[in-house]
């Protein structure tokens, strides 16, 4: 696989302007895409992790950190993935780790990776892969985490050949692990508003948007990332309770990326590509009309990373909530909340 990996080829002049204004030189580094999942087997997660007692302590950490940039071509520039970093760490009973490590090495062979002499490093064109086994993971030793005596860990780190992730980046999933289980937000009992004319009683107001406007623009919902990175056994919009992917022997992610890295990278980059190609929707244009009429004040509060509000000429205030948010209207004058449908 070649790095840069071309994500969008032959940008039009208007697309180049979008990149320069909202991605390449923006208020926050939108040319960076990053995600972390911690999945642990413990009593608090029993329903999804299968925990049944003290000997169940499996753990899976996934962390990706990608950088995108303009790539010159013979015609118009392209957007390419210039730095790739994927970290996969799993802790499980020793027998499962042995089977998992054998499967990783088999996938490396199928994918045509070349083992560098005297080390734990494999190369495949512009990618490198490091595999490290631990009887006791150094992060567990530092944190004094106690695991069942027969547990082992295996770390797999895949990066573009010229990229060395700094210590702060490598540490992030372990900081997330140390922060504890995220408490999911619970939806209350909102009053659904079939006639938006009631908003006239709350002028002027500020607005917070969730993923509804993004989905309307053709951007996949965030659970698509769960499918790509095999975070749970979720497929599509099935509303059932989805079980964590925890046992390394039933985890397909590394096999997919090691045997067919080009095909898997196309999935890895599809969310960024969709965000860049999205266009402001009628809902965003309606917010702009409300703003221009003086009915909407302050920046649009959002945790979306698609920059659609800014591309509609609205000021954005980006906030990353501790729990899943819903799209809701916030009335500035009376501090009333009129929720719309869940994001």
């Amino acid at each position: 696989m070649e790095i840069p990996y071309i994500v969008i080829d032959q940008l039009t002049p208007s697309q180049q302007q979008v990149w320069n204004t909202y991605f390449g030189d923006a208020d926050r580094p939108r040319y960076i895409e990053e995600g972390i999942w911690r999945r642990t087997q413990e009593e608090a997660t029993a329903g999804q992790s299968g925990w049944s007692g003290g000997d169940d302590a499996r753990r899976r950490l996934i962390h990706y950190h990608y950088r995108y940039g303009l790539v010159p071509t013979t015609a118009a520039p392209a957007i390419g993935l210039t730095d790739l970093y994927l970290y996969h760490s799993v802790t499980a009973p020793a027998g499962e780790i042995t089977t998992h490590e054998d499967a990783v090495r088999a996938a490396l062979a199928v994918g045509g990776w070349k083992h560098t002499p005297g080390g734990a490093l494999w190369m495949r064109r512009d990618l490198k892969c490091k595999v490290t086994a631990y009887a006791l993971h150094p992060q567990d030793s530092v944190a004094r985490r106690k695991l069942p005596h027969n547990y082992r860990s295996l770390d797999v780190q895949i990066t573009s050949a010229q990229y060395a992730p700094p210590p702060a980046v490598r540490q992030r999933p372990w900081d997330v692990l140390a922060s504890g289980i995220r408490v999911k937000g619970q939806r209350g009992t909102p009053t659904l508003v079939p006639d938006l004319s009631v908003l006239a009683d709350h002028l002027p107001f500020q607005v917070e948007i969730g993923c509804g406007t993004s989905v309307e623009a053709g951007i996949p919902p965030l659970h698509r990332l769960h499918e790509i990175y095999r975070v749970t056994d979720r497929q599509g919009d099935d509303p059932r309770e989805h079980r964590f992917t925890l046992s390394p022997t039933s985890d397909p992610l590394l096999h997919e990326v090691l045997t067919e890295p080009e095909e898997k990278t196309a999935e890895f980059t599809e969310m960024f590509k969709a965000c860049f190609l999205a266009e402001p929707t009628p809902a965003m244009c309606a917010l702009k009309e409300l703003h221009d009429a003086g009915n909407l004040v302050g920046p649009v509060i959002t945790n979306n990373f698609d920059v659609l509000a800014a591309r509609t000429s609205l000021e954005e205030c980006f906030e990353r909530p501790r729990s899943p948010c819903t799209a809701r209207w916030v009335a500035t004058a009376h501090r009333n909340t009129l929720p719309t449908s869940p994001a």
Side-chain angles (χ1 to χ4, degrees), residues 86-113:
L86 176 66
Y87 174 68
H88 182 289
S89 178
V90 65
T91 300
E96 294 182 22
I97 293 298
T98 298
T99 302
H100 174 49
E101 185 172 7
D102 290 343
V104 168
R105 294 180 184 277
L108 287 163
V110 171
W113 297 74

Side-chain angles (χ1 to χ4, degrees), residues 1 5 84 111 113 124 127 255-266 268:
M1 179 174 135
Y5 173 90
L84 179 149
W113 297 74
R124 188 184 189 276
L127 294 180
H255 180 270
E256 292 170 349
V257 69
L258 292 176
T259 58
E260 297 182 318
E262 290 85 1
E263 289 78 1
K264 195 63 181 178
T265 301
F268 290 161

Side-chain angles (χ1 to χ4, degrees), residues 7 13 31 50 90 103 112 180 186 199 241 312 325:
V7 178
Y31 52 83
V90 65
Q186 298 296 319
L199 292 176
E241 188 76 5
T312 318
C325 79

Side-chain angles (χ1 to χ4, degrees), residues 303-327:
N303 71 319
N304 299 338
F305 43 80
D306 50 39
V307 73
L308 285 177
R311 289 168 65 179
T312 318
S313 299
L314 291 167
E315 182 184 357
E316 281 189 347
C317 175
F318 182 80
E319 293 186 356
R320 183 62 179 165
R322 294 179 178 270
S323 60
C325 79
T326 58

Side-chain angles (χ1 to χ4, degrees), residues 1-8 68 71 79-82 84 261-267 269:
M1 179 174 135
E2 293 185 356
I3 297 292
Y5 173 90
I6 300 301
V7 178
I8 304 173
Y68 299 85
V71 179
I79 293 177
L81 177 65
T82 59
L84 179 149
E262 290 85 1
E263 289 78 1
K264 195 63 181 178
T265 301
E267 291 189 354
T269 58

Side-chain angles (χ1 to χ4, degrees), residues 223-236:
H223 70 68
R224 172 58 181 151
L225 293 176
H226 285 220
E227 297 170 8
I228 293 172
Y229 292 92
R230 308 304 184 190
V231 178
T232 67
D233 60 3
R234 176 172 189 156
Q235 294 293 325

